[in-house]
Amino acid sequence: MKIILFLTLLIWNTLAQAQTAEATSGNTTAVAKAPSRQTKTTKSSVSVSISNSDNYYSLSANFDASKSKKLEKLLSDNLDHNILSTDSGSKIWKKDNEGQTAYSFVLRDGKLKASIDKELVSNETFEKLKALGEKISDTLSKD
């Protein structure tokens, strides 16, 4: 009985690795990636969730804190340095438009949250930030 349970758990674990789920409802699409990779010395777990509706785009990622520096460089290379601030160990890139937050990227060890209000940014800016979201997802998915 224990062997059957062990084999079942092993199969479920194998099937659960590196899956991508996509759900669409009306004009909203949500994509969740949860790859799990095994290296020689450590196990790395990454979760990236992206939601893209008519008026709003958001990205939420959880990852090994060891990837924070690589992600910080990616954000620094692609976002305006003038909008960068720090708060309790978090790095925050926040762009305001007429007193409202047009977009923000908040990075702390092992977590990233990004949000874009499409009504407050140009289409060109949105496409640039959306491409950055894809780069973030790709960067986190690599070893």
Side-chain angles (χ1 to χ4, degrees):
M1 182 64 172
K2 288 181 183 181
I3 294 173
I4 293 172
L5 182 59
F6 175 75
L7 290 175
T8 303
L9 290 172
L10 183 63
I11 291 169
W12 278 102
N13 186 34
T14 302
L15 293 174
Q17 290 184 6
Q19 291 187 359
T20 300
E22 184 171 325
T24 303
S25 174
N27 292 329
T28 301
T29 301
V31 178
K33 295 181 182 179
S36 177
R37 304 197 183 275
Q38 182 95 21
T39 64
K40 293 178 188 172
T41 56
T42 61
K43 185 176 180 182
S44 175
S45 180
V46 175
S47 170
V48 179
S49 176
I50 297 172
S51 178
N52 190 7
S53 68
D54 287 343
N55 301 324
Y56 201 72
Y57 174 95
S58 66
L59 179 146
S60 178
N62 293 308
F63 49 90
D64 278 345
S66 63
K67 295 187 178 193
S68 290
K69 289 292 181 194
K70 187 182 287 189
L71 211 53
E72 181 180 339
K73 180 172 177 12
L74 178 64
L75 292 168
S76 292
D77 290 347
N78 288 279
L79 297 172
D80 187 358
H81 298 289
N82 295 327
I83 62 171
L84 174 62
S85 64
T86 57
D87 182 27
S88 301
S90 295
K91 301 238 180 212
I92 303 164
W93 289 264
K94 183 177 174 186
K95 177 72 172 176
D96 290 328
N97 184 354
E98 298 179 10
Q100 295 180 320
T101 301
Y103 63 86
S104 68
F105 288 77
V106 179
L107 175 67
R108 66 182 135 267
D109 283 342
K111 295 185 183 215
L112 173 69
K113 297 223 183 268
S115 61
I116 306 166
D117 187 330
K118 293 180 181 181
E119 295 177 347
L120 298 176
V121 298
S122 68
N123 285 339
E124 180 182 337
T125 299
F126 171 70
E127 290 301 325
K128 175 187 162 196
L129 295 173
K130 181 180 172 190
L132 176 58
E134 292 170 7
K135 288 180 191 175
I136 289 167
S137 182
D138 290 344
T139 299
L140 293 175
S141 296
K142 294 178 185 175
D143 282 334

